[in-house]
């Protein structure tokens, strides 16, 4: 596993007017796998542009319905569990290195449409930071804790 690189990725935390965070339940897992929107950064793509692209691809939320609040400093890493190495991302990556962005959601719930062309979520909801961390798969919890801590000055 140590020979594999980390997949470059952008993560998006969306906060609504009630101070709750968007979280989606993955469609490709039978487990209660909930996560924040995130996805790969294409070669030559700006991390923030990737975040907005992924937001649309995963949630149907248009860039016009979000406003950037903050970017978490630095990069955040997680390793895949051993049983997933070689099974996801065509075996190319050991985990992800992520840049994180916090956006305020300025739309309404009607502006969320997870039935996208390449649907990744089967369900979605607004949750507190503690709920987001509790709902996350175990191998992402520490990363989420670190991201929430880094953005805590901008969260209720």
């Amino acid at each position: 596993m140590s020979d594999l690189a980390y997949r470059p990725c952008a993560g998006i935390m969306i906060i609504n007017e009630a101070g709750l965070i968007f979280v989606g339940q993955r469609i490709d897992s039978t487990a209660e796998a909930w996560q924040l929107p995130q996805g790969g950064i294409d070669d030559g793509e700006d991390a923030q542009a990737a975040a907005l692209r992924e937001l649309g691809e995963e949630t149907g939320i248009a860039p016009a319905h979000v406003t950037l609040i903050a970017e978490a400093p630095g990069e955040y890493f997680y390793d895949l569990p051993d049983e997933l190495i070689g099974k996801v991302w065509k075996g190319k990556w050991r985990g992800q290195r992520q840049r994180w962005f916090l956006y305020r959601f300025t739309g309404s719930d009607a502006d969320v449409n997870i039935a996208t062309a390449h649907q990744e979520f089967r369900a979605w909801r607004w949750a507190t930071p503690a709920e987001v961390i509790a709902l996350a798969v175990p191998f992402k919890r520490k990363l989420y804790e670190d991201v929430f801590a880094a953005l805590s000055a901008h969260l209720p």
Side-chain angles (χ1 to χ4, degrees), residues 40-57:
I41 299 172
D42 295 334
D43 287 339
E45 187 178 29
D46 174 75
Q48 187 176 357
L52 289 172
R53 176 182 50 74
E54 288 292 335
L55 180 66
E57 289 176 3

Side-chain angles (χ1 to χ4, degrees), residues 70-121:
E71 178 180 353
E75 292 185 315
Y76 298 81
F77 294 80
Y78 76 82
D79 289 319
L80 288 170
D82 290 343
E83 65 270 14
L84 294 180
I85 299 287
K87 294 187 174 111
V88 297
W89 306 312
K90 300 176 184 172
K92 187 175 177 182
W93 313 105
R94 69 188 284 180
Q96 292 190 351
R97 61 180 172 88
Q98 301 180 329
R99 300 271 306 277
W100 278 91
F101 300 89
L102 173 64
Y103 287 91
R104 176 155 321 280
F105 181 59
T106 58
S108 70
D109 285 0
D111 296 314
V112 178
N113 179 10
I114 59 171
T116 60
H118 302 286
Q119 189 169 348
E120 293 198 28
F121 297 132

Side-chain angles (χ1 to χ4, degrees), residues 6-46:
Y6 286 96
R7 178 180 182 234
C9 179
I12 310 100
M13 188 183 305
I14 304 296
I15 187 169
N16 70 8
E17 65 183 17
L20 299 174
I21 310 295
F22 177 99
V23 64
Q25 184 181 27
R26 291 193 59 88
I27 202 168
D28 61 356
S29 175
T30 56
E32 287 289 315
W34 292 77
Q35 70 178 40
L36 301 173
Q38 62 180 53
I41 299 172
D42 295 334
D43 287 339
E45 187 178 29
D46 174 75

